[in-house]
Amino acid sequence: MLSDRMSRLRPSPTLAMTAQAAALKAEGRDIIDMGVGEPDFDTPQFIKDAAFQAMQEGKTKYTAVPGTLALRKAIVAKFQRENQISFTPEDIIVSAGAKHVIFNAFLASLNPGDEVIIPAPYWVSYPDMVAFAEGTPVIVACPPEDQLKLTPPALENAITPRTKWVIVNSPNNPTGMAYTRSELEALADVLRRYPYVSILSDDIYEHLVYDDFVFSTLAQVAPDLQSRILTVNGVSKSYAMTGWRIGYGAGPRDLIKAMSMLQSQSTSNACSIAQEAARVALEGPQDFMKEWTQVFQDRRNQALAILNGTPGLSCLKPQGAFYLYAFCNDLLGKTTPTGTLLKTDGDVSSFLLDSAGVAVVPGSAFGSPPAFRLSYALATDLLLEGCHRIAHAVSLLQ
Ligand code: PLP
């Protein structure tokens, strides 16, 4: 019944963990879900109002496949205002979330055996999307010594004549680490030597950066490479609009055209009402983000202090997103109070779920074990309770 290509897809491990936590909760267990990948804030009211108004005005019909002109113009203005990158509406496609943009991009551009360089830890969907499109994921380990980021030598080592894309995700899911302007410039220096390599810059966490970190993106710091860069972004994380399903890509016109053609034969346009809400989100007041980032920053600091104060766990201090990536090498080989030997980070995550009632996602899902990712996109009291439970559970290991 099923096609061969389905064998190249695995269910998303993050969604699987969320489902497992929800099932335990439904059984009445007291579970703190730290596996979540979306802000716990509600979509701002002015954005909801815009959706209501769009419906009242009859903006309920098919739109242009790559998105309404009004939204694409708002996206062009966003890139100019926030990133100093010039586009025209023809360079933009709007899809059902950033995930859909990336899926379209790989399906529209990869031939069998084309390689895509994916720095690890990576967002879980990249390798599966590449494999589904018959490309070959080339995973490049980015160790803590390199701040879990791709370095110029590691990039250069990974490039072969078959390299089609390299993915740069900053701030990163699952680590929260973000690339500085000079780090991106150094990667651009390598990329200039390989004109056949394109770059997918996944900026979905752009606005969620903390302390004095200044977000930069590759097309901004290396404008001469712009014709080789697909910049992916969306309203999901920055505007707490994960369920609205609006993401966008900006890049070379022939690629955007191909992605649009692919979309025309699959989903057609993203939801017309959500597009109008996204337009208002991008054009409206942005001040609520300051409050949100302050809350996230405080949570990051408090959670980090508890985890790094727990013998056996260690986290780098991330600059953005809402995740902490806790290495747990020292817990492997230990035994739980019920006599289970912890052999993998999957065992550690199961132990935390069973004994502490805390759901986290094992690092092996992100290509960099042994570790686990926890999200701090949950109420501060629950977050701190969850971190204390983790610390207590870890202290019981022998
Ligand atoms: N890229 C990264 C790195 C993500 O973490 C996510 C969502 O978790 C996405 C893209 C997809 O975002 P969207 O909800 O817009 O599809």
Side-chain angles (χ1 to χ4, degrees):
M1 175 67 140
L2 299 182
S3 67
D4 292 346
R5 78 175 69 83
M6 281 310 293
S7 66
R8 294 187 228 126
L9 283 186
R10 294 158 298 172
S12 158
T14 42
L15 296 182
M17 186 46 109
T18 304
Q20 205 180 336
L24 287 175
K25 261 189 198 167
E27 281 172 19
R29 287 272 314 269
D30 169 22
I31 301 293
I32 298 178
D33 185 3
M34 298 175 119
V36 287
E38 58 187 347
D40 52 317
F41 302 111
D42 196 6
T43 306
Q45 189 59 43
F46 76 94
I47 299 174
K48 292 184 186 176
D49 291 344
F52 187 68
Q53 199 179 330
M55 284 188 272
Q56 297 300 323
E57 289 171 359
K59 293 180 175 162
T60 52
K61 304 285 165 76
Y62 292 131
T63 73
V65 170
T68 64
L69 188 58
L71 174 54
R72 283 180 291 143
K73 280 185 174 167
I75 293 166
V76 167
K78 172 261 179 279
F79 276 117
Q80 195 67 58
R81 181 178 72 240
E82 297 186 338
N83 313 109
Q84 299 78 52
I85 312 173
S86 298
F87 289 112
T88 67
E90 292 71 38
D91 306 324
I92 310 286
I93 184 168
V94 176
S95 302
K99 191 180 234 176
H100 188 207
V101 176
I102 300 169
F103 192 79
N104 281 342
F106 287 145
L107 220 49
S109 66
L110 290 176
N111 284 315
D114 282 348
E115 293 176 358
V116 178
I117 296 175
I118 305 176
Y122 51 70
W123 180 44
V124 291
S125 293
Y126 298 139
D128 285 49
M129 288 187 189
V130 169
F132 191 75
E134 298 185 71
T136 303
V138 175
I139 310 299
V140 178
C142 303
E145 305 83 87
D146 295 336
Q147 300 292 298
L148 305 170
K149 289 186 263 191
L150 184 65
T151 62
L155 169 61
E156 190 142 31
N157 274 338
I159 293 176
T160 76
R162 292 306 309 261
T163 306
K164 186 97 179 214
W165 289 97
V166 53
I167 298 178
V168 178
N169 172 216
S170 170
N172 173 278
N173 176 4
T175 67
M177 305 305 281
Y179 290 70
T180 63
R181 188 181 180 100
S182 63
E183 286 168 339
L184 291 175
E185 280 166 352
L187 293 178
D189 284 342
V190 174
L191 291 162
R192 283 191 188 95
R193 294 198 280 278
Y194 301 91
Y196 57 91
V197 175
S198 296
I199 306 98
L200 192 152
S201 180
D202 183 345
D203 298 358
I204 193 79
Y205 294 97
E206 165 175 15
H207 293 110
L208 304 180
V209 291
Y210 313 121
D211 304 320
D212 297 326
F213 188 85
V214 178
F215 173 85
S216 303
T217 187
L218 200 64
Q220 170 190 24
V221 308
D224 58 312
L225 300 184
Q226 194 175 329
S227 64
R228 295 161 48 191
I229 300 173
L230 178 68
T231 303
V232 178
N233 209 322
V235 293
S236 294
K237 315 284 176 169
S238 302
Y239 297 86
M241 291 177 69
T242 44
W244 299 70
R245 309 310 302 132
I246 297 291
Y248 52 87
R253 208 166 290 179
D254 55 343
L255 174 65
I256 297 293
K257 246 181 151 174
M259 290 161 66
S260 181
M261 188 157 66
L262 177 61
Q263 187 161 295
S264 78
Q265 297 294 14
S266 50
T267 59
S268 295
N269 59 274
C271 167
S272 61
I273 301 155
Q275 285 192 61
E276 192 53 13
R279 179 188 69 72
V280 169
L282 293 175
E283 291 179 342
Q286 310 284 307
D287 45 327
F288 60 90
M289 270 183 217
K290 266 205 190 102
E291 283 166 43
W292 290 3
T293 50
Q294 189 58 53
V295 172
F296 278 139
Q297 182 180 310
D298 291 345
R299 289 182 188 164
R300 176 203 60 177
N301 292 345
Q302 294 184 71
L304 199 59
I306 300 170
L307 295 178
N308 276 340
T310 304
L313 298 182
S314 74
C315 307
L316 294 178
K317 184 178 190 176
Q319 297 81 27
F322 38 67
Y323 307 108
L324 292 174
Y325 200 68
F327 284 96
C328 59
N329 313 47
D330 294 346
L331 303 189
L332 302 191
K334 295 205 173 198
T335 308
T336 69
T338 54
T340 307
L341 178 67
L342 299 179
K343 290 194 252 147
T344 65
D345 57 11
D347 295 343
V348 172
S349 300
S350 298
F351 163 66
L352 293 177
L353 187 59
D354 289 343
S355 82
V358 174
V360 297
V361 186
S364 37
F366 309 102
S368 292
F372 57 86
R373 184 196 78 175
L374 63 82
S375 162
Y376 48 90
L378 68 164
T380 307
D381 53 342
L382 278 180
L383 169 71
L384 297 182
E385 162 78 13
C387 290
H388 285 302
R389 285 195 201 175
I390 291 173
H392 178 67
V394 166
S395 74
L396 299 178
L397 295 172
Q398 296 277 325

